[in-house]
């Protein structure tokens, strides 16, 4: 058995009004390719998992899949941070509304987020006296049937949610601080945040040093760490963004660095 795909050869240009044109289309076996970049925005669902199973067949045949198919399945972008407790603010993963309510009561100001979404979708900031807390927990946990994450709120979000990019464990020396829009607490560009480039701080470099060996071990060539203040909050491996914003502000070529890394890996 082999995995096949409908593929297109495209010409790409830097024009948001028409950034690609299709040159030809063909059906090919993925094992015929040198490398496949798996970039798909969440949700992380059964269709996503099925895709990794199909890509794994090509991987076994010798095709380089970026990132590793096993890691795409296993390294949930929210849960993965729990491997690095030294880098994180207090966190709870649970589907028990009472346990989550206790966590909110203890830490007073908490962010609740689903484990399978992106872009700040369905994220809530809550306090113990929030009159809608019970309803929020019912909706997010499906009355105790769905696991979610609770993290202590980090006030430094006002200075931005920094996206730190790593290529084969090596950090790009600048991060994009996504500063929430007025009246917002979510540092997501799709939620209206402003992207401001900043050099990595000493703490950012330290967090990268903690995470990088595990990324290399798991075959994750390209990752985006989310850092708020002094704390790691997410590790994005499915479709890390902010490349173009950093390229523009610092005259970088991050995608080119990734392609060079892939080429070296193939050699």
């Amino acid at each position: 058995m082999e995995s096949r795909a409908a593929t297109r050869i495209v010409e790409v240009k830097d024009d948001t009004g028409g950034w690609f044109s299709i040159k030809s289309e063909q059906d090919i076996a993925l094992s015929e390719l040198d490398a496949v970049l798996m970039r798909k925005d969440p949700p992380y669902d059964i269709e996503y998992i099925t895709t990794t199973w199909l890509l794994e067949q090509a991987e076994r045949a010798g095709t380089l899949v970026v990132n590793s198919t096993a890691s795409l399945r296993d390294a949930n972008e929210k849960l993965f941070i729990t491997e690095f407790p030294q880098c994180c603010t207090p966190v709870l993963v649970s589907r028990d509304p009472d346990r989550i309510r206790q966590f909110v009561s203890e830490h007073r100001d908490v962010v609740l987020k689903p484990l399978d979404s992106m872009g700040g979708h369905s994220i809530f900031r809550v306090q113990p006296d929030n009159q809608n807390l019970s309803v929020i927990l019912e909706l997010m946990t499906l009355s105790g049937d769905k696991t979610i994450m609770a993290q202590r709120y980090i006030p430094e979000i006002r200075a931005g949610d920094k996206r730190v990019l790593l290529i084969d464990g090596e950090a790009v020396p600048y991060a994009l601080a996504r500063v929430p829009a007025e009246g917002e607490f979510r540092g997501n560009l799709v939620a209206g945040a402003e992207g401001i480039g900043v050099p990595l701080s000493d703490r950012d470099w330290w967090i990268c040093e903690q995470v990088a060996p595990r990324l290399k071990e798991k075959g994750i060539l390209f990752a985006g760490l989310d850092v708020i203040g002094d704390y790691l909050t997410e590790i994005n491996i499915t479709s890390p963004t902010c490349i173009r914003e950093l390229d523009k502000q610092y005259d970088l070529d991050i995608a080119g660095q990734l392609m060079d890394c892939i080429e070296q890996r193939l050699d």
Side-chain angles (χ1 to χ4, degrees), residues 21-253:
S21 57
I22 299 172
K23 298 303 180 183
S24 64
E25 300 186 32
Q26 50 277 313
D27 181 282
I28 61 174
L30 293 179
S31 58
E32 296 179 18
L33 300 173
D34 293 321
V36 173
L37 274 68
M38 167 60 164
R39 284 182 64 81
K40 180 189 180 302
D41 291 341
Y44 180 91
D45 54 15
I46 188 61
E47 186 63 25
Y48 182 91
I49 294 173
T50 300
T51 301
T52 68
W53 287 330
L54 295 173
L55 285 172
E56 198 164 38
Q57 291 187 342
E59 205 171 38
R60 286 195 295 267
T63 299
L64 174 66
V65 179
V66 180
N67 287 307
S68 158
T69 53
S71 293
L72 288 170
R73 284 194 301 271
D74 298 343
N76 177 275
E77 302 193 328
K78 310 297 191 296
L79 287 174
F80 195 14
I81 67 167
T82 61
E83 293 195 23
F84 312 98
Q86 71 275 25
C87 302
C88 301
T89 188
V91 59
L92 171 71
V93 178
S94 178
R95 64 180 182 180
D96 182 344
D98 290 335
R99 188 180 295 273
I100 300 169
R101 192 177 286 105
Q102 291 171 8
F103 184 87
V104 174
S105 179
E106 177 184 356
H107 294 286
R108 312 305 296 173
D109 201 349
V110 170
V111 172
L112 305 176
K113 58 177 68 173
L115 298 177
D116 57 358
S117 190
M118 59 161 287
H121 296 162
S122 301
I123 291 180
F124 292 87
R125 179 184 173 187
V126 298
Q127 295 84 26
D129 59 355
N130 189 317
Q131 294 183 349
N132 291 315
L133 179 56
S134 293
V135 176
I136 291 170
L137 292 177
E138 287 174 10
L139 289 172
M140 293 192 71
T141 69
L142 301 180
S143 297
D145 287 337
K146 183 176 181 179
T147 303
I148 66 171
M149 174 175 279
Q151 291 173 304
R152 188 176 68 190
Y153 174 72
I154 305 169
E156 288 82 0
I157 184 62
R158 292 188 292 270
D161 181 350
K162 288 184 286 187
R163 169 61 54 82
V164 181
L165 297 173
L166 287 88
I167 298 173
D168 198 19
E170 298 294 326
V172 174
Y174 303 97
L176 193 73
R178 296 159 296 170
V179 180
E182 185 69 28
E184 266 283 1
F185 72 93
R186 297 174 298 172
N188 303 92
L189 297 180
V190 295
E194 179 185 6
I196 301 173
V198 295
L200 297 193
S201 68
D202 290 343
R203 174 71 176 187
D204 296 335
W205 284 111
W206 179 81
I207 290 174
C208 291
E209 290 171 0
Q210 303 300 301
V211 176
R214 186 67 171 136
L215 295 179
K216 292 172 72 70
E217 179 185 330
K218 292 180 70 65
I220 299 172
L221 290 185
F222 188 49
L225 311 187
D226 287 350
V227 178
I228 302 175
D230 288 337
Y231 300 104
L232 175 68
T233 61
E234 291 186 16
I235 302 176
N236 299 268
I237 69 167
T238 59
S239 187
T241 57
C242 300
I243 292 176
R244 287 178 61 81
E245 291 84 356
L246 286 171
D247 279 355
K248 183 177 181 180
Q249 294 188 37
Y250 293 104
D251 193 26
L252 302 174
D253 183 13

